[in-house]
Amino acid sequence: MRTGERRAWRPTAALPAVVAAALYGWAHWYFAGPNPPSAAVAVAVGAVLCAAACALYFVRTHGSGALFGALFLAVGLLLTVTTADRAAGRAEVAVCVVREVHSQVQGSYGEGGPPAKTVHRFALDCPGGYPDELRDDRLLAERGEEIEVAYDARRRVSPEPAGRTSAWVPAVWAALLIAGATLISVRSPAPGA
């Protein structure tokens, strides 16, 4: 009987890591591959993969942890895509002049919500005309000042301030959440137990 119980949970326990690896590969191909799919196809396939994985996980994981495991898996998969985005090449760097700065305070709604935050949109004059805009939550430069911007010449990922792109933080959080989903699946009771 013990052998049958192990067979019941092993595929589900492997699901988070397998899906995260597949989704990372898909997102990396879209963000950095030589012949990527269109944005609509990339988003549709990624969304279907995430939804199907979470639904299968929820159905196959038994006990009260199924909901939390599926949530961990969903957020871990979103962070996996963020990791692929951050790891994608923004190989070009341009020194741009800030033409205009538009700041907008995004309020918080409801009690206990996150505090209001200010988003700055920088209209840029860059050599070659691209990038022409940069958004950040920090005031990086004033009007007329120069700023270094890292960007992808193929325009698949958003431009960012040079030197700020790091995939480590989302990668660590994704790994922790995927590991949490795996642990919940391993510790879930056997079917019918």
Side-chain angles (χ1 to χ4, degrees):
M1 191 71 173
R2 187 87 173 137
T3 306
E5 290 175 2
R6 284 188 182 165
R7 284 190 197 131
W9 65 258
R10 278 192 181 182
T12 305
L15 180 71
V18 169
V19 172
L23 187 61
Y24 181 86
W26 178 257
H28 183 73
W29 178 41
Y30 171 70
F31 289 128
N35 295 315
S38 69
V41 170
V43 170
V45 170
V48 167
L49 183 61
C50 288
C54 290
L56 181 62
Y57 180 93
F58 184 77
V59 169
R60 297 286 302 157
T61 301
H62 302 280
S64 61
L67 176 64
F68 291 107
L71 287 172
F72 284 4
L73 178 59
V75 175
L77 292 176
L78 290 174
L79 286 169
T80 300
V81 173
T82 302
T83 301
D85 173 36
R86 294 289 175 102
R90 288 176 177 87
E92 306 294 325
V93 176
V95 177
C96 304
V97 176
V98 177
R99 186 175 60 241
E100 294 179 51
V101 178
H102 300 280
S103 300
Q104 180 181 5
V105 176
Q106 294 180 342
S108 176
Y109 301 101
E111 254 182 70
K117 100 177 182 179
T118 303
V119 176
H120 305 282
R121 187 178 65 81
F122 303 91
L124 303 173
D125 285 328
C126 298
Y130 184 79
D132 57 355
E133 182 180 271
L134 177 68
R135 294 174 191 247
D136 204 276
D137 58 351
R138 295 185 304 161
L139 186 60
L140 302 168
E142 296 289 341
R143 182 178 181 182
E145 294 181 348
E146 291 184 341
I147 184 172
E148 282 191 338
V149 180
Y151 67 96
D152 174 23
R154 295 173 291 184
R155 302 179 185 195
R156 283 189 258 170
V157 292
S158 301
E160 291 196 0
R164 277 231 351 240
T165 304
S166 173
W168 285 106
V169 172
V172 168
W173 279 107
L176 289 173
L177 288 167
I178 297 296
T182 302
L183 183 62
I184 288 171
S185 180
V186 167
R187 296 182 151 253
S188 72

